Amino acid sequence: MTAQRIGRAGRAGQYAALLAYLVFLAFPFLWLISTAFKPPRELGSLHPTWIPEDPTLANFRQAFDEQPLLRAAGNSLVAALAAALVAVVIATPMAYVMARNRGRLTTAATGWVVVSQAFPFVLVIIPLFLILKNFHLINTLSGLIMVYVVWSLPFALWMLVGYVRAVPRELEEAAAVDGAGRLRTLVSVTAPLLAPGIVATALFAFITAWNEFFFALVLLKTPEKQTLPVVLTHFLGAEGVADLGPLAAAAFLATIPSLVIFAIIQKRITGGMLAGAVKS
């Protein structure tokens, strides 16, 4: 009986910690939504409330009137989608080779992939800027996409290596015994089982590129090429005073694509994992 009580208390503690963590994560987003619908009078109140007393859409109208949000969102969408697609196309075959051919070279490559993620942006921005300048890729979405691909590729590769290693070799060996070549085995056997991992990796690369700010700020100069995170900074005044209502409205709109894409894809990720678990 004592052991059961301890077990129940432990589970209750875990659920309480998980609930506290979820509240911690949700608080900024909920406060952002609340701020986006508050009129200026409530934004300047000394006693802020969770729910706007007089909700308004004026902040959204003002945000669209002051800044080219749709054009910036289009630039961000193009850069994020292209970067995610290219990163996955490059990382998938590389991950397969690294997962199926273990050795010192593979171990060293994996270690370098992990270490490269610790490099600060400031460390690489100057040589990166000079390289892109020599290729006339400054102030272009093509140059920004290349940067996003290179930056997201190491972690994408690391993720896919884990998914490839989870696919049993016996399935590929059985396909080879049945007469399937390497390419057909990869396409017909391995690729369907990797689909959840590929989707998850593409989602990671998309969100990383969609939310990225520093590279876009440095590499894109003209307003027509700027992405959404950069345009959001335009709601700050010359003295650093934020136009809080429109800024919150624009920031809330900027989070919607990531949430929608995740909501659409997460069912397919789960379904693909379950399907892969029962394949024979």
Side-chain angles (χ1 to χ4, degrees):
M1 183 66 67
T2 303
Q4 292 180 351
R5 290 180 178 177
I6 294 176
R8 292 176 181 175
R11 286 193 296 272
Q14 292 176 352
Y15 289 135
L18 178 60
L19 179 61
Y21 184 63
L22 292 176
V23 171
F24 174 77
L25 293 179
F27 171 79
F29 184 65
L30 295 178
W31 191 258
L32 176 68
I33 297 176
S34 175
T35 304
F37 289 94
K38 286 182 178 179
R41 177 181 57 82
E42 293 187 41
L43 292 174
S45 174
L46 297 178
H47 304 285
T49 58
W50 272 99
I51 301 176
E53 297 177 359
D54 186 19
T56 178
L57 295 176
N59 292 326
F60 293 90
R61 291 192 293 267
Q62 184 178 348
F64 280 101
D65 291 339
E66 292 182 357
Q67 300 298 334
L69 296 180
L70 292 179
R71 183 179 63 198
N75 293 337
S76 292
L77 185 63
V78 169
L81 286 177
L85 178 62
V86 175
V88 167
V89 170
I90 296 176
T92 301
M94 293 176 61
Y96 182 83
V97 172
M98 292 178 63
R100 289 294 185 251
N101 298 278
R102 300 187 181 184
R104 292 184 178 181
L105 182 60
T106 302
T107 303
T110 304
W112 173 251
V113 166
V114 176
V115 171
S116 66
Q117 295 300 292
F119 289 173
F121 290 175
V122 179
L123 185 66
V124 300
I125 190 60
I126 293 179
L128 182 63
F129 185 91
L130 295 176
I131 292 173
L132 292 178
K133 182 179 180 181
N134 291 334
F135 287 96
H136 305 287
L137 291 174
I138 297 297
N139 197 36
T140 65
L141 286 180
S142 299
L144 186 66
I145 291 170
M146 292 177 60
V147 173
Y148 286 166
V149 170
V150 172
W151 198 256
S152 61
L153 188 59
F155 193 78
L157 181 60
W158 180 75
M159 285 181 65
L160 285 173
V161 166
Y163 279 100
V164 174
R165 288 177 177 171
V167 176
R169 287 177 177 267
E170 290 77 7
L171 295 177
E172 298 177 358
E173 294 172 354
V177 171
D178 291 339
R182 176 58 64 90
L183 180 60
R184 183 178 178 182
T185 299
L186 292 177
V187 173
S188 303
V189 178
T190 308
L193 296 177
L194 287 180
I198 293 175
V199 172
T201 303
L203 179 62
F204 159 80
F206 175 86
I207 293 176
T208 300
W210 177 266
N211 294 327
E212 200 282 323
F213 169 76
F214 182 70
F215 288 131
L217 177 66
V218 175
L219 300 178
L220 301 177
K221 300 300 180 183
T222 59
E224 294 77 12
K225 300 293 180 63
Q226 289 178 340
T227 57
L228 194 55
V230 177
V231 171
L232 290 180
T233 63
H234 297 170
F235 289 101
L236 298 176
E239 298 180 356
V241 179
D243 198 356
L244 196 56
L247 175 60
F252 169 63
L253 294 176
T255 63
I256 292 178
S258 298
L259 296 177
V260 171
I261 291 176
F262 180 79
I264 294 174
I265 292 178
Q266 62 91 15
K267 292 183 178 180
R268 297 186 179 181
I269 294 176
T270 306
M273 289 180 175
L274 294 176
V278 298
K279 280 186 177 289
S280 61

